[in-house]
Each structure stands twice: as C-alpha cells, then as structure tokens.
C-alpha cells in the first residue's frame, strides 16, 4: 500500500478542524481555560500500568528521584498526600 504525503497546509487545516471540535481549551465566551497544575517542583502522580494505587514521584534535596505509593486509588486523596 502506498503512503501519501500530506502538504503542510492540509495538516494545519486538519489540526484546526480537530481543535474546533474539541473546543480548543476555551470556554463558551472564547476565553482560554486555565490548566489546573501543582506549583513548580511539587512532584507528580501516576499509576503503574494504568491501574492500582496512585504513585507519587518527586525529587529530594540532592536531586534524586523518589517514588512512593499513596495507597489510594482516589486521585484527590493522592493529591493531598503528595502536597
């Protein structure tokens, strides 16, 4: 099967079309929505293999990456444990 190359204009048009369908991270009044984020250098949460308890990851004072299971599957509770 032969693969077709798309022109940059076609790619940009498709991306704009998808952005319009998804709302583009904008509210109904057109203003951009702020992303909820933890402040800088507070760590992150993830699930190993997409299931089980949330795992907290952060860097200690020496710059070493640290991991600890939060022991909960509730993201809000894991957020409170991390911060």
């Amino acid at each position: 099967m032969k693969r077709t190359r798309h022109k940059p204009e076609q790619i940009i048009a498709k991306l704009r079309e998808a952005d319009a369908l998804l709302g583009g991270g904008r509210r109904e009044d057109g203003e951009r929505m702020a992303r909820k984020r933890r402040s800088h250098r507070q760590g992150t949460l993830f699930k190993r293999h997409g299931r089980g308890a949330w795992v907290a990851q952060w860097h200690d004072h020496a710059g070493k990456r640290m991991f600890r299971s939060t022991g909960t599957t509730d993201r809000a509770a894991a957020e409170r444990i991390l911060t």
Side-chain angles (χ1 to χ4, degrees):
M1 178 162 68
K2 185 177 179 182
R3 296 179 75 172
T4 59
R5 288 192 165 261
H6 296 287
K7 294 180 182 173
E9 301 84 31
Q10 293 172 318
I11 295 170
I12 291 169
K14 289 286 185 185
L15 288 172
R16 286 189 178 139
E17 183 180 311
D19 193 41
L21 287 173
L22 295 172
R26 295 184 184 274
R27 297 186 306 214
E28 290 180 12
D29 62 0
E31 290 293 316
R32 283 197 97 25
M33 295 187 308
R35 293 174 74 185
K36 278 181 86 177
R37 302 179 104 183
R38 278 183 295 284
S39 61
H40 189 61
R41 296 208 173 259
Q42 280 193 338
T44 189
L45 290 171
F46 65 94
K47 285 187 173 185
R48 293 188 197 266
H49 308 291
R51 61 184 176 188
W54 286 99
V55 177
Q57 173 192 328
W58 70 96
H59 291 85
D60 69 3
H61 66 282
K64 183 178 176 187
R65 194 175 341 174
M66 306 294 291
F67 299 94
R68 290 287 183 274
S69 173
T70 61
T72 182
T73 57
D74 180 27
R75 172 128 188 157
E79 288 272 354
R80 288 190 299 272
I81 292 168
L82 179 61
T83 55

